[in-house]
């Protein structure tokens, strides 16, 4: 079955390939599940019925779809092995719909709302750090920063997708409780992103300096005032609109100060 699981994992990257407005990810879901159904259903009519069960509406975060596919696969295996009749057929689609919404919200919050901005800040931090340390020698290596972002993000998100699908196969419906550990990861990533943001801001000032045509005297006290204003404004925005705005506020503040020559 390892070969089948591997094929399903690879296919999970194409869940949105045939995305449509009526049923959204339904065809992609069937595409992922088909190798498993080919294995467990030897009767062609039973396999056809299983395929038709999953052409209805389905939509969740693409990175979180693996756990739903794995749980459904376990249910389909049980149906095939126990030769379940239509009268006792579990409501598989209801189980899918119940999980899809919460997993979509969790995936958006962790991958797009937390992980991606945090890794973006790592890339910004590295850019400013290398400019300060290597100076002119860094010019030839600047093109590597976007590739570092791509590598870091994909290493984390691909590993997470594999782990999520593995949980679904191993624990079935109980894997939802295991996924509650994502709350800890969210908190950890947010705080690490904040630390990186502050480090990037400090490096920004230490690299490019500050002062609007000599308006600000070069003193440590003035440095601290500028740092404090940026961070306080960022925290106020974050408390009003959400934690993710803390990252973007600091980015915009740095862009504005750079434009003003600060």
């Amino acid at each position: 079955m390892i070969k089948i699981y591997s094929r399903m994992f690879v296919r999970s990257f194409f869940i949105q390939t045939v995305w449509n407005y009526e049923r959204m990810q339904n065809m992609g879901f069937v595409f992922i599940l088909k190798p498993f159904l080919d294995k467990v259903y030897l009767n062609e009519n039973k396999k056809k019925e299983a395929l038709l069960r999953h052409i209805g509406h389905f939509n969740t975060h693409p990175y979180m779809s693996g756990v739903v596919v794995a749980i459904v696969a376990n249910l389909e295996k049980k149906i095939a092995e126990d030769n379940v009749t239509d009268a006792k057929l579990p409501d598989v689609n209801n189980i899918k719909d119940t999980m899809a919404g919460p997993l979509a919200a969790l995936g958006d919050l962790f991958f797009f709302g937390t992980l991606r901005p945090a890794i973006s800040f790592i890339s910004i931090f590295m850019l400013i750090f290398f400019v300060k340390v290597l100076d002119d020698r860094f010019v030839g290596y600047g093109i590597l920063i976007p590739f570092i972002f791509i590598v870091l993000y994909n290493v984390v998100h691909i590993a997470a997708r594999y782990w999520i699908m593995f949980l679904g196969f191993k624990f079935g419906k109980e894997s939802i409780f295991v996924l509650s550990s994502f709350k800890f990861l969210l908190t950890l990533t947010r705080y690490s992103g904040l630390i990186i943001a502050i480090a990037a801001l400090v490096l920004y000032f230490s690299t490019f300096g500050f002062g609007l045509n000599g308006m600000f005297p070069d003193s440590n006290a003035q440095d601290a005032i500028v740092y404090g204003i940026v961070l306080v404004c960022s925290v106020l925005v974050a408390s009003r609109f959400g934690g993710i705005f803390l990252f973007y506020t600091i980015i915009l503040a740095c862009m504005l100060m750079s434009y003003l020559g600060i």
Side-chain angles (χ1 to χ4, degrees), residues 90-103:
D91 192 351
V92 179
N93 285 314
N94 186 45
I95 296 173
K96 286 167 52 181
D97 293 339
T98 301
M99 294 187 296
L103 289 174

Side-chain angles (χ1 to χ4, degrees), residues 163-182:
W163 177 70
I164 288 168
M165 181 174 276
F166 171 79
L167 284 180
F169 280 116
K170 184 173 183 179
F171 297 105
K173 290 183 286 186
E174 299 298 322
S175 58
I176 300 299
F177 298 102
V178 181
L179 284 174
S180 62
S181 61
F182 260 56

Side-chain angles (χ1 to χ4, degrees), residues 35-225:
F36 190 86
L37 298 181
D38 290 338
K39 179 71 174 180
V40 298
Y41 283 101
L42 302 179
N43 185 293
E44 288 297 322
N45 290 329
K46 292 290 185 181
K47 181 169 68 175
K48 181 179 178 180
E49 292 174 1
L51 289 169
L52 291 175
R53 273 197 292 274
H54 300 290
I55 62 172
H57 176 274
F58 178 76
N59 190 49
T60 191
H61 193 284
Y63 297 178
M64 305 296 289
S65 60
V67 66
V68 185
V69 173
I71 291 172
V72 168
N74 285 341
L75 291 173
E76 290 291 350
K77 182 179 180 181
K78 182 174 179 62
I79 293 171
E81 291 176 348
D82 296 345
N83 197 21
V84 176
T85 61
D86 293 341
K88 296 183 179 181
L89 193 66
D91 192 351
V92 179
N93 285 314
N94 186 45
I95 296 173
K96 286 167 52 181
D97 293 339
T98 301
M99 294 187 296
L103 289 174
L106 182 61
D108 284 337
L109 182 61
F110 178 72
F111 291 105
F112 294 164
T114 303
L115 179 65
R116 190 158 59 185
I119 293 181
S120 298
F121 264 107
I122 291 175
S123 301
I124 294 171
F125 175 85
M126 294 179 66
L127 174 64
I128 299 174
F129 178 78
F130 287 143
V131 167
K132 181 174 177 61
V133 174
L134 299 180
D135 199 16
D136 294 337
R137 292 174 294 169
F138 176 70
V139 175
Y141 301 97
I143 190 64
L144 295 178
I145 296 298
F147 290 102
I148 291 173
F149 168 82
I150 292 172
V151 170
L152 288 176
Y153 180 73
N154 283 288
V155 164
V156 175
H157 108 262
I158 291 174
R161 292 178 75 160
Y162 182 84
W163 177 70
I164 288 168
M165 181 174 276
F166 171 79
L167 284 180
F169 280 116
K170 184 173 183 179
F171 297 105
K173 290 183 286 186
E174 299 298 322
S175 58
I176 300 299
F177 298 102
V178 181
L179 284 174
S180 62
S181 61
F182 260 56
K183 185 177 181 180
F184 166 76
L185 294 176
L186 282 169
T187 304
L188 178 63
T189 308
R190 283 175 176 172
Y191 281 112
S192 63
L194 175 60
I195 294 171
I196 294 166
I198 295 173
L201 187 62
V202 172
L203 278 175
Y204 167 82
F205 282 110
S206 62
T207 300
F208 298 106
F210 78 99
L212 186 57
N213 297 325
M215 182 180 298
F216 297 122
D218 293 329
S219 67
N220 293 331
Q222 293 296 338
D223 284 352
I225 291 173

